Amino acid sequence: MEAVRAAAAAPTGFRTVVSDYFEMTKPKVQSLLLFTTVTTMYVAGDPSVGLVLLTCLGGALSAGGAGAVNHWFDRDLDAAMSRTADRPVASGRVAPRAALLYGSGLGVASVLLLSLTVNPFAAALSACGFLGYVFVYTVWLKRSTPQNIVIGGAAGAVPPLVAWAAVTGGLSGTALYLFAIIFFWTPPHFWALSLLMKDDYAKAGVPMLPVVRGEEETRRQILLYTILLYAVTQLPFCAGAFGITYLAVSVALGAVFIAGAVVLCRRADRRSALRLYLFSLAYLALLFAAMVADVRL
């Protein structure tokens, strides 16, 4: 009977380990990053399916590795917050050293894969994203300044640069516009979430904007960055990179985003913050899809 129980428990234990290591790569965050990668590649040119898959795999390894290192370094903060207390490292299911080695290994694998199968420039840009997220955001900014997500958001804006370099071997003004769009999208997106998690961040001592400057100032900053984002999204059209399809979609999406930020300022409730956060996810996906539609249709 004991042997039967042990045999039954083994697959469950294995699945738990696999699930924990997969969770450390932050797959939910990665899905949107990979979508911007794929769409950017089809804006940049006419890549083969193989090139798209290899670039996405390299990007997934890089982002996943950075996420795992983040789990390792932030395990004390994660353990103090109810939203993250059950994460693999914070809960003790995965040893800190194992998480660090795993994350670092994924980062190295990303550089090797992209260098050998895509091109060295794309690999270098991906490495910059990995190092920026780990050292600039996670190690330095997150615990030291309420502007952490503003400056650190540059790491999350790297995928379009990697994608463009993968297709063309270099960068262009359009690639930089796409980088800027994600850079300015990140603060209102993340601050909407931080309003919902303010008490957790305060408990853990993380100087997120709502904790340090208050909710009213955070809502004001969300509105300000949403307006800036709207202006930045018009730059590719003004530069001639996209046409009327992109313009119509970017104007409509931007108007809805700004309206949501205004509602959040006026109502100042959790429901409005959650709605704006969820819309911000759809906003970025639809905007990048519009870019592809504009250049392909």
Side-chain angles (χ1 to χ4, degrees):
M1 181 62 71
E2 292 298 329
V4 172
R5 290 176 180 173
T12 302
F14 177 75
R15 285 194 295 269
T16 299
V17 171
V18 171
S19 176
D20 283 341
Y21 276 81
F22 182 64
E23 181 184 344
M24 286 192 292
T25 64
K26 300 189 175 182
K28 292 181 180 179
V29 175
Q30 279 208 46
S31 60
L32 191 54
L33 296 179
L34 292 176
F35 184 78
T36 61
T37 298
V38 173
T39 49
T40 299
M41 292 183 76
Y42 284 104
V43 169
D46 191 21
S48 66
V49 174
L51 180 61
V52 172
L53 292 176
L54 288 169
T55 304
C56 287
L57 178 57
L61 290 172
S62 179
V69 175
N70 176 267
H71 273 249
W72 162 74
F73 190 81
D74 279 351
R75 61 190 184 278
D76 57 330
L77 302 181
D78 289 343
M81 297 190 291
S82 57
R83 181 176 67 93
T84 56
D86 193 49
R87 284 181 172 175
V89 183
S91 65
R93 296 194 305 274
V94 174
R97 183 172 181 271
L100 176 59
L101 291 174
Y102 174 60
S104 301
L106 291 180
V108 171
S110 169
V111 172
L112 291 175
L113 176 69
L114 291 174
S115 296
L116 296 174
T117 65
V118 180
N119 63 63
F121 188 42
L125 288 170
S126 182
C128 287
F130 176 92
L131 296 173
Y133 184 81
V134 169
F135 292 104
V136 178
Y137 173 68
T138 300
V139 175
W140 175 30
L141 295 173
K142 184 174 181 179
R143 299 171 185 244
S144 62
T145 172
Q147 293 300 308
N148 47 23
I149 201 61
V150 177
I151 305 170
V158 167
L161 301 183
V162 176
W164 200 277
V167 176
T168 68
L171 294 178
S172 70
T174 303
L176 297 179
Y177 288 140
L178 303 190
F179 171 89
I181 286 172
I182 298 181
F183 180 81
F184 282 95
W185 166 84
T186 301
H189 161 72
F190 193 86
W191 283 335
L193 176 64
S194 70
L195 285 170
L196 301 172
M197 305 300 172
K198 175 189 173 184
D199 293 340
D200 258 0
Y201 285 127
K203 181 181 178 182
V206 182
M208 290 299 177
L209 194 62
V211 176
V212 176
R213 302 284 179 82
E215 294 187 17
E216 183 177 354
E217 176 63 16
T218 301
R219 290 189 291 270
R220 191 180 75 83
Q221 289 292 325
I222 288 174
L223 178 57
L224 173 62
Y225 270 89
T226 303
I227 294 172
L228 288 173
L229 172 64
Y230 175 82
V232 171
T233 59
Q234 302 314 303
L235 294 179
F237 172 78
C238 294
F242 300 121
I244 193 66
T245 299
Y246 170 80
L247 176 64
V249 174
S250 65
V251 168
L253 288 173
V256 175
F257 208 161
I258 292 173
V262 171
V263 169
L264 179 60
C265 285
R266 291 180 175 177
R267 294 183 180 175
D269 60 356
R270 291 179 60 85
R271 185 176 183 180
S272 298
L274 178 60
R275 282 182 173 178
L276 190 66
Y277 168 73
L278 293 175
F279 174 76
S280 70
L281 295 170
Y283 169 90
L284 193 65
L286 291 172
L287 187 68
F288 272 74
M291 296 176 190
V292 178
D294 187 272
V295 300
R296 292 283 170 174
L297 298 180

